[in-house]
Amino acid sequence: MARFRMYPTSEQEQQMLLHCAHARYVWNLAVEQHAHWRRDKAHHRPDGKRTGAPSFAEQCRQLTEARAASAWLGAGNQTVQAQALKDFAKAKAARFTSGFGEPTWRKKFVHEGFRVIGDDRVPEYEPDGRPRINPKTKRQVMGRAVIVHQLNRRWAQVKVPGCGWVRFRLSVKGKGARLPAAKTFRVTLKDGQWHAAFAVIPDPIDKPGTGEAIGIDRGVTITAALSDGRTLNCPQLTTRERAQIRKHQRRAARAKKGSERKTAEYAKVAKLKAKEANRRKDWCEKTSTMLARTYDLVRFEKLNIKTMTAKAKAKPDPDQPGQYLSNGRAAKAGLNRGILAQGWGLLRQRTGHKAPGRVEDVPAPYTSLRCSACGWIDKNSRKSQAEFVCSSCGFICNADTNASINVAAGQGGIPRPRRSAGAGGATTATSRSSAREPQPNWVGIPLF
């Protein structure tokens, strides 16, 4: 996906807001129709036959009737509204495989956007360069394309239905500096900024051919610790920007409910948080590109981020019904914010997109407790968040770097049988000779 910042005029912005309202209205009507229909409460026609939820074709017919009955809906663009129904049909069909489940309601000021299908027609070709022929008509297949014109080195324009040519800004370098060639794009409004996201499938990055593998351990203090000793940190808001967020939040809390001042203060907070999200996305894009270009194999510590950032469960008080015990919810919420601010999932996702087949996930258990020098596993070796001192061989290393070396070697999950540690935390000759004999017992940390 290629995403660009749009700069519409005031008239174009009003028309695009109307497109967002129409697309959201049509989507919510489709959600309501399918929510009303239940398999256990089948609807029957007058002739006694059983009917199901309306299909995409039926909804398009109903949309034509609704546009004729409603002047507000009829004033909008029919292509934008029909595309919202098509997106709903695709989401409904992929609800079991996409991971998002059933399509849900779209809210005003939260889900502002609409999809546009290109009007231009271009010939399509096979991967080997031959023209793609329709087997029925024996003619070359003509595909859709978005009409995009480049104005100069930094500016371009795209045609939006009902709005004419809308300008967007190109990047200095990278994929954002090239004019996108796509069949469709989506216009979104978030935090007062308009963006156009073109559906472009980027070409995978070729591996360098060095045969080098890298292990990455992700954390909160250090975002990504690499097995070659480097540490990478995701950019965060500055101290001054965080102070501004707290200031605007205090002013919004003291403002009258529903007032323009409260809305304006919350908009300033959202603008600062959007700046942080943009920095995080930019860092993930650049870091994933660097990893895909530098290493043949990239191994990540496998983390279940959704479970790790789940809120603390309530603890009912057995002595006082209806009351709850302290469960550290505030501390857990702060930890969740710290984890989500690092962009763990986005870094892993974008690296997998750019280096398909060259990214692996290593089980996380024991990667931070295993010594990367001798393989000894002991929870006492982890002295602190940043210090690792092996209780067997005395190996000293940064804890995150030690874990990344284990990830690079693929050593994660259930520990292997290990020899016993020597006296004083040092390896002795006796322990080295006993390591040659099979050890039937598990040592180190207990498994249960």
Side-chain angles (χ1 to χ4, degrees):
M1 179 181 295
R3 184 166 168 262
F4 300 89
R5 175 80 179 274
M6 302 181 72
Y7 292 87
T9 63
S10 58
E11 294 80 6
Q12 291 174 340
E13 186 174 8
Q14 294 299 324
Q15 185 62 37
M16 290 163 64
L17 285 173
L18 187 62
H19 287 341
C20 293
H22 289 159
R24 184 175 60 252
Y25 177 77
V26 172
W27 175 282
N28 289 339
L29 282 180
V31 172
E32 184 179 2
Q33 281 184 331
H34 283 255
H36 178 70
W37 177 79
R38 294 291 184 273
R39 292 187 181 275
D40 55 345
K41 295 181 179 180
H43 299 273
H44 297 273
R45 296 188 305 186
D47 55 3
K49 293 184 179 180
R50 180 173 174 171
T51 62
S55 61
F56 170 66
E58 176 63 21
Q59 287 180 334
C60 289
R61 187 189 63 80
Q62 295 175 1
L63 175 62
T64 303
E65 297 177 355
R67 285 175 54 85
S70 173
W72 175 78
L73 194 63
N77 186 270
Q78 192 273 342
T79 304
V80 172
Q81 299 169 11
Q83 186 60 35
L85 291 177
K86 190 172 184 179
D87 292 344
F88 175 83
K90 289 184 177 180
K92 190 71 177 180
R95 62 188 182 277
F96 297 117
T97 58
S98 63
F100 295 101
E102 291 283 346
T104 56
W105 298 86
R106 289 182 176 177
K107 301 179 181 178
K108 190 177 182 180
F109 305 122
V110 178
H111 305 97
E112 298 286 358
F114 58 93
R115 185 179 298 278
V116 179
I117 300 297
D119 296 331
D120 196 10
R121 292 288 184 175
V122 294
E124 293 188 355
Y125 297 90
E126 299 291 347
D128 56 359
R130 295 181 296 104
R132 181 172 296 177
I133 305 300
N134 190 329
K136 294 183 179 180
T137 61
K138 305 301 180 181
R139 296 180 180 179
Q140 186 174 5
V141 178
M142 301 296 290
R144 289 180 175 269
V146 177
I147 304 177
V148 182
H149 289 165
Q150 186 167 357
L151 301 176
N152 50 47
R153 187 175 62 90
R154 296 298 303 275
W155 289 93
Q157 59 184 4
V158 61
K159 202 166 188 179
V160 180
C163 303
W165 294 100
V166 181
R167 296 199 310 164
F168 64 90
R169 191 168 179 82
L170 299 175
S171 303
V172 178
K173 57 182 180 180
K175 68 176 184 179
R178 298 186 300 269
L179 206 61
K183 298 180 180 180
T184 175
F185 69 98
R186 183 170 181 82
V187 179
T188 57
L189 172 63
K190 188 174 182 181
D191 301 324
Q193 297 179 356
W194 290 94
H195 290 90
F198 295 85
V200 179
I201 301 177
D203 297 330
I205 299 176
D206 297 332
K207 60 181 180 180
T210 59
E212 187 177 0
I214 192 71
I216 302 175
D217 178 77
R218 292 169 288 180
V220 177
T221 304
I222 298 177
T223 304
L226 307 185
S227 57
D228 57 5
R230 291 184 295 168
T231 57
L232 307 176
N233 287 303
C234 181
Q236 308 291 328
L237 291 177
T238 62
T239 304
R240 183 177 180 180
E241 290 171 338
R242 294 188 184 278
Q244 290 178 348
I245 288 180
R246 292 193 296 269
K247 178 186 70 174
H248 295 309
Q249 287 176 339
R250 287 194 301 267
R251 290 181 177 178
R254 296 167 183 169
K256 185 179 179 180
K257 184 177 180 180
S259 63
E260 294 182 358
R261 182 183 177 185
K262 181 183 283 291
T263 303
E265 295 298 332
Y266 277 135
K268 294 177 182 178
V269 173
K271 187 176 181 180
L272 289 171
K273 291 186 176 180
K275 183 181 295 186
E276 181 184 19
N278 291 336
R279 292 174 184 173
R280 179 168 59 249
K281 293 177 181 178
D282 179 71
W283 179 83
C284 290
E285 290 290 340
K286 294 179 179 178
T287 304
S288 59
T289 301
M290 181 270 296
L291 294 174
R293 289 178 177 175
T294 310
Y295 304 100
D296 283 356
L297 181 62
V298 183
R299 284 175 172 160
F300 283 89
E301 181 186 18
K302 188 176 182 180
L303 300 175
N304 191 340
I305 302 175
K306 184 177 181 180
T307 304
M308 294 174 64
T309 56
K311 65 179 182 180
K313 295 183 179 180
K315 296 182 179 180
D317 190 349
D319 299 331
Q320 300 179 1
Q323 302 296 325
Y324 295 89
L325 300 175
S326 177
N327 60 348
R329 180 179 179 181
K332 185 62 170 65
L335 177 62
N336 294 346
R337 287 193 296 268
I339 292 175
L340 296 175
Q342 303 302 320
W344 291 354
L346 183 60
L347 178 62
R348 168 62 180 85
Q349 182 187 48
R350 295 301 294 146
T351 307
H353 292 166
K354 298 175 183 179
R358 297 192 288 124
V359 180
E360 296 180 356
D361 293 317
V362 178
Y366 309 109
T367 53
S368 61
L369 303 179
R370 176 185 279 110
C371 176
S372 59
C374 67
W376 178 256
I377 300 177
D378 187 5
K379 62 181 180 181
N380 296 322
S381 299
R382 186 74 181 262
K383 301 299 182 181
S384 64
Q385 183 277 329
E387 185 181 6
F388 182 90
V389 180
C390 181
S391 60
S392 175
C393 66
F395 174 71
I396 300 176
C397 182
N398 180 273
D400 296 326
T401 304
N402 176 77
S404 64
I405 296 175
N406 291 327
V407 172
Q411 296 179 352
I414 300 177
R416 303 190 302 271
R418 297 295 183 188
R419 54 180 172 75
S420 301
T427 305
T428 62
T430 305
S431 62
R432 286 197 298 268
S433 62
S434 62
R436 303 188 187 97
E437 301 176 0
Q439 299 292 330
N441 298 326
W442 298 91
V443 296
I445 64 172
L447 295 179
F448 304 99

